[in-house]
Amino acid sequence: MAATTNLLMRRFRNGSLAGTLVATLVVLAFAACGADTAAGTPDAIAKVCDPNATAPTYTELYTRYFAAGTHGHCATAGCHADPSHEVWLCGQTKDTCYTGMVQIGLISPSNPLASRIGDPKSSPLNWVNPGGPMPFDDPTPFPEGRDAILAWVAACAKNN
């Protein structure tokens, strides 16, 4: 041990109040060195979406992935296009589809990065979450759709 540490430890063992205080301060100082956890922990970093990020619009997502006849085909009769569908209504337009996704929590306009549609653990879309059950008739990976949805979520999940 260094001479200074030995001196402090002797004072600490002898019960010297000043030694106890100094030893405590030294221990705290060493404990604090390199313990900048807030800066090094990803959870401590504020996560905000970037409304200016390059991403497809929701109109493009709907047209390419959610409308009838597309890979996701949410807006297909017998699926989420029917008002009698028990889970949620996509409807026949991008606006009704967006509203339906908001109503069931797939999209969170107040906290876009929390939108379940882009969550790799809870999205019902197999494209984003490998365990997701949708599209029901073809729950297989679709990287193009996944990447477009994730980019759109990162750009604040707007109804644009």
Side-chain angles (χ1 to χ4, degrees), residues 16-114:
S16 164
L17 181 58
T20 302
L21 178 60
V22 170
T24 302
L25 291 174
V26 168
V27 169
L28 289 174
F30 281 116
C33 289
D36 187 12
T37 56
T41 305
D43 293 339
I45 298 170
K47 295 180 180 178
V48 292
C49 61
D50 180 2
N52 298 315
T54 302
T57 64
Y58 188 78
T59 300
E60 292 169 316
L61 292 182
Y62 178 80
T63 303
R64 294 181 76 182
Y65 309 115
F66 306 142
T70 65
H71 194 81
H73 56 275
C74 307
T76 301
C79 195
H80 298 285
D82 294 331
S84 62
H85 194 276
E86 295 177 14
V87 180
W88 68 280
L89 176 64
C90 178
Q92 296 293 321
T93 70
K94 70 108 177 165
D95 290 322
T96 58
C97 197
Y98 184 90
T99 298
M101 288 182 176
V102 168
Q103 288 174 342
I104 63 161
L106 283 177
I107 300 170
S108 175
S110 62
N111 185 6
L113 295 180

